[in-house]
Amino acid sequence: MTKKPRIHIPQPTARPGEAPDFSYLELSPAGAVDRPDTDSRAADIGFLAHELVRVLDDEHAAVGPWAPEIEPEKQVEALELMVLTRAFDDRMLRMQRQGKITFYMQALGEEAVSIGQGMAFEPGDMMFPAYRNQGLYIMRDTGLVDMMCQCLSNTRDMCKGRQMPIFYQNREHNIFSISGNLATQYPHAVGWAMGAQIKGEDHIAASWIGDGSTAEADFHHALTFAAVYNAPVVLNVVNNQWAISTFQGVAGGERQTFAARGLGYGIPGIRVDGNDLLAVYAVTRWAAERARAGNGPTLIELVTYRGGAHSTSDDPSRYRPRDEWQAFPLGDPVERLKMHLIRNGEWSEDRHEALAQESKATVDAAWKEATSYGTLTEPPFLDVELMFEDVFAEMPEHLELQRRKLMRSLGSRS
Amino acid sequence: MTKKPRIHIPQPTARPGEAPDFSYLELSPAGAVDRPDTDSRAADIGFLAHELVRVLDDEHAAVGPWAPEIEPEKQVEALELMVLTRAFDDRMLRMQRQGKITFYMQALGEEAVSIGQGMAFEPGDMMFPAYRNQGLYIMRDTGLVDMMCQCLSNTRDMCKGRQMPIFYQNREHNIFSISGNLATQYPHAVGWAMGAQIKGEDHIAASWIGDGSTAEADFHHALTFAAVYNAPVVLNVVNNQWAISTFQGVAGGERQTFAARGLGYGIPGIRVDGNDLLAVYAVTRWAAERARAGNGPTLIELVTYRGGAHSTSDDPSRYRPRDEWQAFPLGDPVERLKMHLIRNGEWSEDRHEALAQESKATVDAAWKEATSYGTLTEPPFLDVELMFEDVFAEMPEHLELQRRKLMRSLGSRS
Amino acid sequence: MSQMNMIQAIRSAHDIMLERDPSVVALGQDIGYFGGVFRCTEGLQQKYGEHRVLDAPIAEGGIIGTAIGLAVNGLRPVAEIQFADYIYPGFDQVVSELSRLRYRSGGDFFAPVVIRTPCGGGIRGGQTHSQSPEGIFTHVSGVKTVMVSNPYDAKGLLISAIESDDPVVFFEPKRIYNGPFDGDPDKPAVSWAAHPKGEVPDDYYTVPLDKAEIVEAGEDLTIITYGTIVHVAQAAARRAGVDAEIIDVRTLMPLDVETLRDSVCKTGRCLVAHEATRFCGYGAELVATVQKECFWHLEAPISRVTGWDTPYPHAFEWQYFPVQQRLVDGIRKVMEAG
Amino acid sequence: MSQMNMIQAIRSAHDIMLERDPSVVALGQDIGYFGGVFRCTEGLQQKYGEHRVLDAPIAEGGIIGTAIGLAVNGLRPVAEIQFADYIYPGFDQVVSELSRLRYRSGGDFFAPVVIRTPCGGGIRGGQTHSQSPEGIFTHVSGVKTVMVSNPYDAKGLLISAIESDDPVVFFEPKRIYNGPFDGDPDKPAVSWAAHPKGEVPDDYYTVPLDKAEIVEAGEDLTIITYGTIVHVAQAAARRAGVDAEIIDVRTLMPLDVETLRDSVCKTGRCLVAHEATRFCGYGAELVATVQKECFWHLEAPISRVTGWDTPYPHAFEWQYFPVQQRLVDGIRKVMEAG
Ligand SMILES: Cc1ncc(C[n+]2csc(CCOP(=O)(O)OP(=O)(O)O)c2C)c(N)n1
Ligand SMILES: Cc1ncc(C[n+]2csc(CCOP(=O)(O)OP(=O)(O)O)c2C)c(N)n1
Ligand SMILES: [Mg+2]
Ligand SMILES: [Mg+2]
């Protein structure tokens, strides 16, 4: 066309070969952001959606009003859980590379989200995770073997072979089934929370989605219904800067924070350093208290970075600088909590080294056991007839006929 | 259940038999709200989303920074258009009651929205209306006969008998086809505006939805895409306090204004007195300038009141006080502009009375002509074979066969 | 026993289930204080409270999405979508979540949600208040689909749907809310009073979710249909003077193949009729199933009488709708073939 | 002429149309800088600019909704939905707007949007990366539906779709992006190099949007299929040792009834096969149409081989997929009947 196009297309600050540049990230100093009461009105605490709640300062001290009362043992436990999550991811990633499982997604660099937030809820609170929240299952101790069996689609697979790897669930521990369809869990969490209100129960709900997924309709549905019914729910946006190949600006992060989306609905939004476990825990605790006390929903934006590839099908070197993570100003959540504990004399490099070894050993042992229940390629195999179950509560006639037909066809040779 | 439910259910301030109560409406005095430059950043002008832009004061004077430069003739024209819209609605409503048309929806009490906003755009700007924006067609003078023929599904029906009454369109005058599905036009407007940018053209787009419709997914889609691509579009929410039987709180209006939704996306939101034609015009002009200058989208909330029933299928006395409109603090847009013009010596009660008569006569004449082209029940009738056209650009074989089959069946008797 | 129209029967089903089971909740646009644009929940919020019968925001996706969450928390939501034409914004939650949850979670989670929605034309609703989209739901594995044709079934099937642990999409042809319709638009409307299926027990009862009903036994041909067209078919068969066996499918998915098979194998002739558009409509599956089950007994091709493959036009409603005359033509064609 | 796989052929169609027609724009998730998760638009943003090949937010409804707006403003948008399993959030915009606009506006407005999306299984994608939802689009009046089976058709049909003034939903079976698949998962994957349809003209050409193709002429029976299963059917027919006439429907809506009729009236036997679930799947319409058109020539019931009526399971992918053996069984059944 003759005329000059002038549509605005959001651009990341750096592409492969260029120097990483996070100057676009607004950062507040640790301890700088006020901590309002949990019954404050959204309108009065808008600042929380624009500043960045941080607790750990550059000297690794926990400072400011958000510094949580959390015993050293619990902090050490959090560190252990993050390290275990990373060891688990590392092992599963390699297993995928070796063809033992068909697919995998790491939470590398985002471990503080699931561990820190998970610890802020009560066991009876219902979690509606996204696919990068494996840490929630690990934190609630649903069992590494159990998770591995799912990834292996083996005879102990909780999903009975129906889902790709990583789409876990755990009813007993109140963690919902992970969906392959982005953002759909958000209104589920709100509905579950409405249910608790209707039943007059104290449990609350929480859900997670990524920065990119906030563009989906269900994000809007969830915020609208949560606002209208004042649902006791904590809605979390994990802003890891990337959605596969598109940076957070393509989701609308350029001109406004994701936390601020909440303000438009009259829901408090809080922007928190997602790699600062203490800040993550404190902010989530605040939101959980708020919900439990009947003060309604909160939207939390966790600022972090996707340290690894989107998934094992992805190659990030095609669209972002290889060393971008190293340049990320909020660092590595494991490293930061570790240094904090060392500073406080609660931890040491040696113990950390030992922890790394233990975690590796735990994962190795779990893998050994999990594979003993079979893999996609090695027996024992799942019973094929499971394919026809759980479509409905009871198998209708047409599925029973299809089941028989398949078994005949598997029998027939020619 | 044993425990006490504590879910929050939004409640209107008054139900049938109770006294109307609009104390929930935040009103600013006329002239009180600043008018920032059109290139201001959303973050710096958040106040516009919470206060209420008003120009006409209680003495009917136009006051404050938003008082537009708009010649008296144009103001008179606006009054004439509003009166004509009301006369049109009145006639069509009665025609529905008499069974001449199957359905109708009035804009009673909201006339300033379509007329005031319509006047603020250029003819080349593309309008994506909702079903209560008949005033846009009247303002762009697409022809009352044309509109009536649509409502009559007669031989001159622009929709060729395919749509219920009021779902107009007019390509020549750049007004899009009205959809029965709420909010779908919002992303269309954004896409159209993106197209203008891609082509490097200066036209902008505008769209309208109601307060209740903001809960639909397409509201979120439109705001997200408009923010991401900085689309030159003016997005309008007509907050007439009701969505059929549910008041605006059920759409999330209780804890936040609808204008404020925009802020969450980094889009300026402006709340304006929707019954103050001068304020409506001024605010829309501001947003249009902003868009045309490349400063991106604006979300305008027009605070008004649905003076009539939702539609001819509705009976509002079942769910709201009969006299609620009379108690609405922002009054009647026709009356307010009329008094302003009289105060300025541009108008008189006599001229107004004459105008009412003229408008009625114009509408009567139009109706007479329109019905001469047939009605649903009186010839001439639309050709039945039109049913099979325009499903596709060319009629595929299967539709051609179905057409023939129908014609045979209409022939056969037994 | 009382005389009920379909609206009263549906309201009665809600009333009984809200009373019997504290976990039952209803939500939808305008269903609370107002009682629904078709009055199906009139008085129920007043009777059971705002936390049991909720007015919902205008977001079908949000209604179905939160209903799933309510169900996962142990409730039994009955969600009303104001018109079937407006169910599409919630389609993703139906296909990707509601109908897949039990399967994908190995049976650990499930969501017993009922989605009720008025469908069909005949009320001058034009192309966005007249659609019959049942055929796109019956293709989705994991959700049951029902379309009712009378007050008795409406109440009994709705109670079954609410008690079912499977999600159910429940279609209510709005044209027959107030009375049966024989497919002749020139006749004055009749009420349910005269119709046997307008006699409805006041108390709890159920109609099974997997059984078609033979509404008229006959020998000459089988007419397989559901919803409004059941009544049109009965009138058309009388007018055509054939001894037709007329089957009301009622529950479209899962399909009661046996009843269809037995009938068509007996009559050897089959007409399939519905209001929805023809191409890839539910009738296609009925034809495909019957030709497979009864091939050797068929004396004539199975014929379909349906809405045309166009949107539902306002002015040509009665040319689009499969009126009596078109059913008569269809019956003749099947009878004369071979 | 060049050797192209289906990805290259689709990219070439984009490239040619972006070059020829300044009103063509592409939008979708990850399709810009990155070139798409399946690489179908690789290098095109760099070549034509960010305003011609746009990275879009993750909102299928927003992508299709804004694409309609772009089209109404005179552009010809080609929207990619990353996986067919994720098209449902945009379903309302497809059904209520894209496919109805021309009709409801009396022809005043229309939106020539192409929606491209990878479909089908065979890549261990589990239940949310394997679906074949064509059957719910073919039931929607006002939108054309295509599923391609090879590089040559993919390029020619995509160019026709982009040039068409009607909206088109364009399905690309991802299993055969890189090579044909004969339905035997134990064999090593093959490339398109050896396949005649891997020979693709470098320049502009079109394949008509309303013609099925007879990929193999035969006398014993007709196999009607499309997408990946075309290749499975060819291999199965060879293995079953029957002289099958194999028809690739290609454009599912509108359907080329004539080609089907002529073939089945000739062979007297018919097998319908597709990967999608069976109940109310597209195959049901094929069966219903064929039994009507060819009833008096049929020597055996028309049989269907399809995916089962369950979601697409990860572990049992090859038991769900209509593999060669199941096609062979189906062929035998049709040949032995009667
Ligand atoms: C409805 C839907 N659309 C598209 C996809 C494909 N997809 C999977 S993950 C992803 C990116 C999500 O990014 P983000 O929300 O930021 O989460 P992250 O991967 O960064 O944790 C996309 C587009 C999908 N799974 N579901
Ligand atoms: C998708 C969809 N859902 C529901 C409806 C039914 N409906 C028509 S108008 C309406 C109320 C809309 O209220 P609002 O948006 O406030 O607009 P208003 O009528 O007040 O101008 C509803 C629920 C519809 N037309 N489309
Ligand atoms: Mg992300
Ligand atoms: Mg309203």
Side-chain angles (χ1 to χ4, degrees):
Chain A
M1 295 168 192
T2 52
K3 310 211 195 64
K4 201 173 144 307
R6 9 183 200 67
I7 185 167
H8 170 75
I9 308 287
Q11 290 302 332
T13 47
R15 288 293 196 185
E18 299 174 344
D21 172 5
F22 285 102
S23 55
Y24 68 87
L25 270 186
E26 307 265 345
L27 307 177
S28 317
V33 182
D34 287 348
R35 183 180 186 284
D37 299 336
T38 56
D39 59 1
S40 313
R41 287 180 52 254
D44 305 330
I45 55 177
F47 67 90
L48 287 175
H50 302 289
E51 301 185 24
L52 185 71
V53 174
R54 307 177 67 181
V55 166
L56 292 173
D57 68 14
D58 300 347
E59 280 67 49
H60 314 299
V63 299
W66 287 95
E69 265 102 53
I70 163 170
E71 322 72 59
E73 305 66 46
K74 250 188 126 187
Q75 298 189 28
V76 169
E77 188 192 332
L79 182 65
E80 291 168 349
L81 288 167
M82 287 199 288
V83 169
L84 183 58
T85 304
R86 194 168 288 189
F88 178 79
D89 277 354
D90 176 66
R91 176 69 188 231
M92 299 309 279
L93 187 70
R94 283 185 289 110
M95 293 305 92
Q96 193 279 341
R97 297 244 177 283
Q98 292 177 25
K100 299 264 192 274
I101 59 176
T102 57
F103 175 84
Y104 196 68
M105 298 178 102
Q106 300 168 277
L108 184 64
E110 305 176 26
E111 293 88 351
V113 172
S114 297
I115 303 303
Q117 295 202 275
M119 290 174 81
F121 293 105
E122 303 301 325
D125 297 338
M126 186 75 189
M127 309 285 102
F128 293 81
Y131 50 71
R132 235 178 274 283
N133 292 112
Q134 52 265 59
L136 284 176
Y137 295 85
I138 291 173
M139 181 270 152
R140 290 199 166 185
D141 198 16
T142 64
L144 297 186
V145 173
D146 206 46
M147 295 168 75
M148 289 170 166
C149 289
Q150 193 282 330
C151 293
L152 286 159
S153 288
N154 71 12
T155 54
R156 297 266 180 113
D157 173 7
M158 64 182 79
C159 300
K160 301 183 183 165
R162 293 159 188 163
Q163 293 249 64
M164 283 170 83
I166 69 114
F167 293 108
Y168 317 108
Q169 81 273 343
N170 194 293
R171 187 177 185 88
E172 181 195 344
H173 290 87
N174 297 314
I175 314 183
F176 191 61
S177 157
I178 299 173
S179 178
N181 306 71
L182 295 173
T184 50
Q185 67 275 18
Y186 242 46
H188 299 164
V190 173
W192 195 97
M194 288 165 61
Q197 288 175 295
I198 289 170
K199 295 194 285 179
E201 292 171 357
D202 290 331
H203 305 310
I204 66 174
S207 190
W208 287 260
I209 58 174
D211 48 307
S213 303
T214 59
E216 289 286 1
D218 282 327
F219 178 75
H220 177 56
H221 296 145
L223 287 163
T224 301
F225 280 65
V228 167
Y229 300 109
N230 200 39
V233 62
V234 180
L235 297 169
N236 307 293
V237 174
V238 183
N239 181 357
N240 61 7
Q241 313 307 314
W242 290 94
I244 305 184
S245 75
T246 60
F247 86 116
Q248 49 104 32
V250 176
E254 252 184 351
R255 42 165 103 206
Q256 186 55 287
T257 69
F258 292 98
R261 291 272 196 285
L263 301 179
Y265 301 83
I267 295 174
I270 310 185
R271 194 161 163 266
V272 62
D273 177 344
N275 290 0
D276 175 340
L277 183 124
L278 298 184
V280 167
Y281 175 84
V283 159
T284 310
R285 203 76 192 148
W286 185 91
E289 254 176 58
R290 186 179 163 82
R292 220 178 296 277
N295 295 313
T298 304
L299 181 67
I300 299 176
E301 173 182 357
L302 300 113
V303 179
T304 180
Y305 187 86
R306 198 193 74 211
H310 169 71
S311 75
T312 49
S313 318
D314 178 45
D315 172 11
S317 69
R318 286 174 165 279
Y319 54 78
R320 69 182 189 182
R322 287 180 185 282
D323 57 348
E324 202 176 53
W325 188 28
Q326 288 64 43
F328 187 61
L330 301 179
D332 174 339
V334 173
E335 198 58 21
R336 284 175 69 192
L337 184 59
K338 169 188 147 196
M339 296 311 291
H340 169 66
L341 287 166
I342 289 175
R343 175 190 182 283
N344 289 6
E346 307 287 350
W347 199 245
S348 70
E349 290 290 355
D350 296 355
R351 285 182 62 185
H352 198 77
E353 184 45 39
L355 171 62
Q357 292 312 320
E358 276 165 39
S359 308
K360 204 181 157 310
T362 311
V363 170
D364 291 349
W367 179 256
K368 200 156 178 307
E369 179 183 350
T371 47
S372 74
Y373 304 127
T375 74
L376 262 186
T377 50
E378 294 137 35
F381 294 121
L382 272 172
D383 179 353
V384 156
E385 314 198 22
L386 282 171
M387 173 160 57
F388 299 93
E389 287 175 15
D390 298 322
V391 180
F392 296 101
E394 282 140 33
M395 194 183 298
E397 190 197 7
H398 71 287
L399 286 178
E400 173 55 28
L401 293 173
Q402 292 184 12
R403 188 186 62 73
R404 287 205 219 115
K405 191 181 221 167
L406 172 64
M407 299 323 285
R408 271 201 308 280
S409 150
L410 292 178
S412 67
R413 281 281 153 265
S414 48
Chain B
M1 301 172 188
T2 54
K3 308 211 197 64
K4 199 172 145 306
R6 11 181 200 67
I7 186 167
H8 170 76
I9 308 287
Q11 290 302 333
T13 47
R15 286 294 194 182
E18 299 174 345
D21 172 5
F22 285 102
S23 54
Y24 68 87
L25 270 186
E26 307 264 347
L27 308 177
S28 317
V33 181
D34 287 349
R35 181 181 188 284
D37 298 337
T38 55
D39 59 359
S40 312
R41 287 180 52 256
D44 304 330
I45 54 177
F47 67 91
L48 287 175
H50 302 291
E51 303 186 21
L52 185 72
V53 174
R54 308 176 67 181
V55 168
L56 293 172
D57 67 14
D58 300 347
E59 281 67 48
H60 314 299
V63 300
W66 287 95
E69 266 99 53
I70 163 170
E71 322 71 59
E73 305 66 46
K74 255 191 120 186
Q75 298 189 29
V76 169
E77 189 193 333
L79 183 65
E80 292 167 349
L81 288 167
M82 287 198 289
V83 169
L84 183 58
T85 304
R86 193 167 287 189
F88 178 79
D89 277 353
D90 178 65
R91 176 71 187 229
M92 298 310 278
L93 187 70
R94 283 184 290 109
M95 294 305 92
Q96 193 278 341
R97 298 241 176 286
Q98 294 176 24
K100 299 263 190 277
I101 60 175
T102 57
F103 174 83
Y104 195 69
M105 297 177 102
Q106 300 168 278
L108 184 65
E110 304 176 25
E111 293 89 350
V113 172
S114 296
I115 303 304
Q117 295 202 275
M119 290 175 81
F121 293 105
E122 303 301 325
D125 297 339
M126 187 74 189
M127 309 286 101
F128 293 83
Y131 49 71
R132 234 178 274 283
N133 292 113
Q134 52 264 58
L136 284 176
Y137 295 86
I138 292 172
M139 182 268 150
R140 287 198 167 186
D141 198 15
T142 63
L144 297 186
V145 172
D146 207 45
M147 295 168 75
M148 289 169 166
C149 289
Q150 193 281 330
C151 293
L152 286 160
S153 288
N154 70 14
T155 55
R156 297 263 179 117
D157 173 7
M158 65 182 80
C159 300
K160 301 182 183 166
R162 293 160 189 163
Q163 294 250 63
M164 282 170 83
I166 71 114
F167 293 108
Y168 318 107
Q169 82 273 344
N170 194 294
R171 186 179 186 87
E172 180 195 342
H173 290 89
N174 297 313
I175 315 182
F176 191 61
S177 157
I178 298 173
S179 177
N181 306 71
L182 296 172
T184 50
Q185 67 274 20
Y186 242 46
H188 299 163
V190 173
W192 195 96
M194 288 166 59
Q197 286 175 298
I198 290 170
K199 296 195 285 179
E201 294 171 355
D202 288 332
H203 305 309
I204 65 175
S207 190
W208 287 261
I209 58 175
D211 48 307
S213 303
T214 59
E216 289 287 1
D218 282 327
F219 177 75
H220 178 56
H221 296 145
L223 287 163
T224 302
F225 280 64
V228 168
Y229 301 109
N230 200 39
V233 62
V234 180
L235 297 170
N236 308 292
V237 174
V238 182
N239 181 357
N240 60 8
Q241 312 308 314
W242 289 94
I244 306 185
S245 76
T246 59
F247 85 117
Q248 49 103 32
V250 177
E254 252 184 350
R255 44 165 99 207
Q256 186 55 287
T257 68
F258 292 98
R261 292 272 194 286
L263 301 179
Y265 300 82
I267 295 174
I270 311 184
R271 195 162 162 264
V272 62
D273 178 342
N275 290 0
D276 176 341
L277 183 125
L278 297 184
V280 167
Y281 175 84
V283 159
T284 309
R285 208 65 195 154
W286 184 92
E289 256 175 56
R290 186 180 163 82
R292 219 177 297 279
N295 294 313
T298 303
L299 181 67
I300 299 176
E301 173 182 357
L302 300 112
V303 179
T304 180
Y305 186 86
R306 197 192 75 212
H310 169 73
S311 75
T312 48
S313 320
D314 179 43
D315 172 10
S317 70
R318 287 174 165 280
Y319 54 79
R320 69 182 189 183
R322 286 181 186 282
D323 57 348
E324 201 176 54
W325 188 29
Q326 287 66 42
F328 186 60
L330 301 179
D332 174 340
V334 173
E335 199 58 21
R336 284 175 69 193
L337 185 59
K338 169 188 150 195
M339 295 311 291
H340 169 67
L341 287 166
I342 289 175
R343 173 189 183 285
N344 288 6
E346 307 288 347
W347 198 246
S348 68
E349 289 290 356
D350 295 354
R351 286 182 62 186
H352 197 78
E353 184 43 41
L355 171 62
Q357 292 312 322
E358 277 163 40
S359 307
K360 203 182 157 309
T362 310
V363 170
D364 291 348
W367 179 256
K368 200 156 177 306
E369 178 182 350
T371 47
S372 75
Y373 305 126
T375 74
L376 262 185
T377 49
E378 295 137 32
F381 295 121
L382 271 173
D383 178 355
V384 128
E385 312 197 24
L386 282 171
M387 172 159 59
F388 299 94
E389 286 177 15
D390 299 321
V391 180
F392 296 101
E394 282 139 32
M395 194 183 298
E397 191 196 5
H398 70 287
L399 286 178
E400 173 55 28
L401 294 172
Q402 293 182 12
R403 189 186 62 74
R404 287 205 218 116
K405 191 179 221 169
L406 172 64
M407 297 325 284
R408 272 200 308 279
S409 149
L410 291 179
S412 66
R413 282 277 155 269
S414 48
Chain C
M1 279 292 183
S2 304
Q3 273 297 341
M4 293 190 197
N5 62 29
M6 209 150 87
I7 292 164
Q8 294 163 323
I10 288 161
R11 189 185 306 140
S12 171
H14 279 89
D15 194 353
I16 286 167
M17 292 312 293
L18 283 160
E19 178 79 48
R20 285 168 69 102
D21 182 351
S23 68
V24 171
V25 295
L27 71 164
Q29 296 156 20
D30 303 292
I31 74 159
Y33 182 90
F34 185 54
V37 297
F38 289 104
R39 328 295 316 136
C40 291
T41 55
E42 188 171 13
L44 297 178
Q45 182 183 75
Q46 289 73 2
K47 184 170 176 187
Y48 296 99
E50 286 156 345
H51 64 292
R52 301 287 306 282
V53 183
L54 290 82
D55 278 314
I58 302 170
E60 291 71 18
I63 288 171
I64 297 170
T66 51
I68 292 171
L70 287 161
V72 169
N73 202 350
L75 299 175
R76 289 190 174 270
V78 183
E80 174 177 300
I81 299 299
Q82 203 162 75
F83 287 85
D85 315 59
Y86 304 139
I87 201 168
Y88 309 118
F91 195 61
D92 185 49
Q93 282 286 347
V94 174
V95 176
S96 305
E97 299 298 319
L98 185 58
S99 52
R100 298 292 151 83
L101 180 57
R102 180 189 293 275
Y103 193 78
R104 80 175 191 226
S105 69
D108 285 353
F109 290 98
F110 66 101
V113 174
V114 177
I115 300 172
R116 288 180 44 241
T117 189
C119 67
I123 60 154
R124 288 284 185 205
Q127 55 126 21
T128 59
H129 301 85
S130 307
Q131 296 171 34
S132 297
E134 67 275 8
I136 62 175
F137 290 91
T138 49
H139 183 47
V140 175
S141 49
V143 64
K144 294 183 173 178
T145 308
V146 171
M147 190 181 291
V148 294
S149 69
N150 62 73
Y152 180 88
D153 285 356
K155 177 173 174 178
L157 281 165
L158 182 52
I159 290 176
S160 294
I162 294 170
E163 291 187 325
S164 166
D165 282 344
D166 295 315
V168 179
V169 180
F170 194 91
F171 290 101
E172 305 166 359
K174 62 181 89 72
R175 182 63 174 82
I176 54 174
Y177 265 148
N178 293 304
F181 174 62
D182 74 356
D184 180 348
D186 302 327
K187 286 216 206 105
V190 298
S191 87
W192 280 108
H195 196 286
K197 292 295 185 88
E199 275 292 310
V200 179
D202 299 305
D203 303 340
Y204 170 97
Y205 69 94
T206 62
V207 171
L209 264 179
D210 55 4
K211 288 267 160 293
E213 182 184 41
I214 298 173
V215 295
E216 287 192 23
E219 299 298 326
D220 297 351
L221 88 161
T222 303
I223 304 178
I224 307 174
T225 185
Y226 52 93
T228 304
I229 309 303
V230 169
H231 308 281
V232 181
Q234 290 179 281
R238 270 193 300 280
R239 202 170 110 201
V242 294
D243 179 26
E245 182 144 296
I246 300 176
I247 298 176
D248 179 353
V249 182
R250 301 196 296 195
T251 296
L252 309 184
M253 167 70 218
L255 173 62
D256 177 2
V257 176
E258 191 181 354
T259 300
L260 273 49
R261 182 196 305 120
D262 295 350
S263 176
V264 178
C265 288
K266 175 183 72 178
T267 62
R269 296 175 186 270
C270 179
L271 178 69
V272 165
H274 59 58
E275 191 177 344
T277 51
R278 171 191 183 94
F279 197 80
C280 288
Y282 184 72
E285 181 60 45
L286 290 174
V287 173
T289 298
V290 168
Q291 79 86 35
K292 173 172 170 296
E293 299 291 330
C294 310
F295 184 80
W296 305 108
H297 300 75
L298 284 173
E299 294 158 28
I302 305 163
S303 210
R304 281 183 282 176
V305 175
T306 69
W308 308 116
D309 289 325
T310 75
Y312 212 122
H314 177 252
F316 311 124
E317 177 157 56
W318 297 121
Q319 289 77 36
Y320 178 94
F321 186 97
V323 290
Q324 238 184 63
Q325 181 60 52
R326 283 184 50 214
L327 267 289
V328 170
D329 296 347
I331 291 168
R332 293 254 162 78
K333 183 151 162 250
V334 173
M335 292 312 297
E336 287 156 12
Chain D
M1 280 293 183
S2 303
Q3 274 296 342
M4 294 190 197
N5 62 30
M6 209 149 88
I7 293 163
Q8 294 162 324
I10 288 160
R11 191 186 305 140
S12 171
H14 280 89
D15 195 353
I16 285 168
M17 293 311 293
L18 282 160
E19 178 78 49
R20 285 169 70 103
D21 182 351
S23 68
V24 172
V25 294
L27 71 163
Q29 296 156 21
D30 303 291
I31 75 160
Y33 182 91
F34 185 54
V37 296
F38 288 104
R39 328 296 314 136
C40 290
T41 55
E42 187 171 14
L44 296 177
Q45 181 183 75
Q46 290 73 2
K47 185 171 176 186
Y48 296 100
E50 287 154 345
H51 63 293
R52 300 286 307 281
V53 183
L54 290 82
D55 279 314
I58 302 169
E60 292 71 18
I63 288 170
I64 296 169
T66 50
I68 292 170
L70 287 162
V72 169
N73 201 350
L75 299 175
R76 290 190 174 268
V78 183
E80 174 177 300
I81 300 299
Q82 203 162 75
F83 287 85
D85 315 60
Y86 304 139
I87 200 168
Y88 310 119
F91 195 61
D92 184 49
Q93 281 286 346
V94 173
V95 176
S96 306
E97 300 298 320
L98 185 60
S99 53
R100 299 292 150 82
L101 180 57
R102 179 189 293 273
Y103 193 77
R104 80 174 192 227
S105 70
D108 285 354
F109 289 98
F110 66 102
V113 173
V114 177
I115 300 172
R116 287 180 44 242
T117 189
C119 66
I123 60 155
R124 287 285 185 206
Q127 54 125 23
T128 59
H129 300 84
S130 306
Q131 297 172 32
S132 296
E134 67 274 8
I136 61 176
F137 290 92
T138 50
H139 184 46
V140 176
S141 48
V143 64
K144 294 184 172 176
T145 308
V146 171
M147 191 181 292
V148 294
S149 70
N150 64 73
Y152 180 89
D153 286 356
K155 178 174 173 177
L157 281 165
L158 182 52
I159 290 176
S160 294
I162 294 171
E163 291 187 324
S164 166
D165 282 344
D166 295 316
V168 179
V169 180
F170 194 91
F171 290 100
E172 305 166 359
K174 61 182 88 72
R175 182 63 175 82
I176 54 174
Y177 265 147
N178 292 304
F181 174 60
D182 73 357
D184 180 348
D186 303 328
K187 285 215 207 103
V190 297
S191 87
W192 281 107
H195 197 285
K197 294 294 186 88
E199 276 292 312
V200 179
D202 299 306
D203 302 341
Y204 170 98
Y205 69 94
T206 61
V207 170
L209 265 179
D210 56 5
K211 287 267 160 297
E213 182 183 42
I214 298 173
V215 294
E216 286 193 25
E219 299 298 328
D220 297 350
L221 88 161
T222 302
I223 304 178
I224 307 175
T225 184
Y226 53 92
T228 303
I229 309 303
V230 169
H231 308 280
V232 181
Q234 290 180 283
R238 269 193 301 280
R239 204 172 110 202
V242 294
D243 179 26
E245 183 144 295
I246 300 175
I247 298 177
D248 180 353
V249 181
R250 300 198 297 196
T251 297
L252 308 184
M253 167 72 220
L255 173 61
D256 177 1
V257 176
E258 190 182 354
T259 300
L260 272 48
R261 182 197 305 122
D262 295 352
S263 177
V264 178
C265 288
K266 175 183 72 177
T267 61
R269 296 174 187 269
C270 180
L271 178 69
V272 165
H274 59 59
E275 191 177 344
T277 50
R278 172 191 183 95
F279 197 81
C280 287
Y282 184 72
E285 181 60 47
L286 290 173
V287 173
T289 299
V290 169
Q291 79 85 34
K292 171 172 172 295
E293 298 290 329
C294 310
F295 184 81
W296 304 109
H297 299 75
L298 284 174
E299 295 157 28
I302 304 163
S303 208
R304 279 183 282 176
V305 175
T306 69
W308 307 116
D309 289 325
T310 74
Y312 212 122
H314 176 251
F316 312 123
E317 176 157 56
W318 297 120
Q319 289 77 34
Y320 178 94
F321 186 97
V323 290
Q324 239 185 62
Q325 181 60 51
R326 282 184 49 213
L327 267 289
V328 169
D329 296 346
I331 292 168
R332 294 253 161 78
K333 185 151 161 252
V334 173
M335 292 312 296
E336 287 156 13

